[in-house]
Amino acid sequence: VLDAAHYVPAYWYSKSKAASLFGTGPCFGWSSQEVLGWVHYGGGQELFDELMGSLGLNVVSFFNSPMPAQPMGWFKEEIKDASQMSGLKYRTVGLAADVLLEMGMSVVQLPGGEIQPAMKSGLIDAAEFNNPTSDRDFGMQDVSK
């Protein structure tokens, strides 16, 4: 029995692409306040509950602190042109994985604790984890030099 948990719906992307819209929506999308407004007053909670039911998950969700659109990430080399993305090994999850695959990147889905070692060893060339403040606390600036 699990009494409570904190989770990111985007990790269920492999089961339903719609899950990403509740956890890692498109860049330049809504602010976190707009997401909460939609969830609480625009029918978003009902759509999410329907999604959870379709996945067979017995979960009661209470949205809080949604993340705004995330920046592109941390790269070992400066990116000045979209053509430089082709062939890069990049860590991400959710909707971004499909978008970046279309751009020619090799997408690797790693858990948070494996991102820094993977960048240090050269397993990946770039990564995103969360948002600039969390990424700084996580030390992403130290491994992307």
Side-chain angles (χ1 to χ4, degrees), residues 92-144:
T92 193
V93 297
L95 181 62
D98 285 347
V99 171
L100 297 175
L101 281 169
E102 288 295 321
M103 292 179 67
M105 297 177 88
S106 174
V107 177
V108 180
Q109 296 192 34
L110 297 171
E114 294 180 20
I115 298 171
Q116 287 180 328
M119 280 192 75
K120 283 180 187 175
S121 72
L123 180 64
I124 57 175
D125 303 307
E128 64 76 31
F129 180 61
N130 200 326
N131 61 54
T133 304
S134 297
D135 286 357
R136 183 194 64 222
D137 293 343
F138 190 58
M140 291 300 292
Q141 70 280 2
D142 297 328
V143 294
S144 62

Side-chain angles (χ1 to χ4, degrees), residues 13 21 28 34 36 39 45 53 56 64 71 88 103 128 138:
Y13 187 71
L21 298 176
F28 308 110
E34 290 167 326
L36 282 177
V39 165
Q45 182 70 54
N64 72 14
L88 286 180
M103 292 179 67
E128 64 76 31
F138 190 58

Side-chain angles (χ1 to χ4, degrees), residues 45-64:
Q45 182 70 54
E46 291 79 10
L47 288 173
F48 188 73
D49 293 343
E50 183 180 326
L51 172 64
M52 294 298 98
S54 75
L55 296 176
L57 299 171
N58 183 14
V59 175
V60 177
S61 296
F62 301 94
F63 280 84
N64 72 14

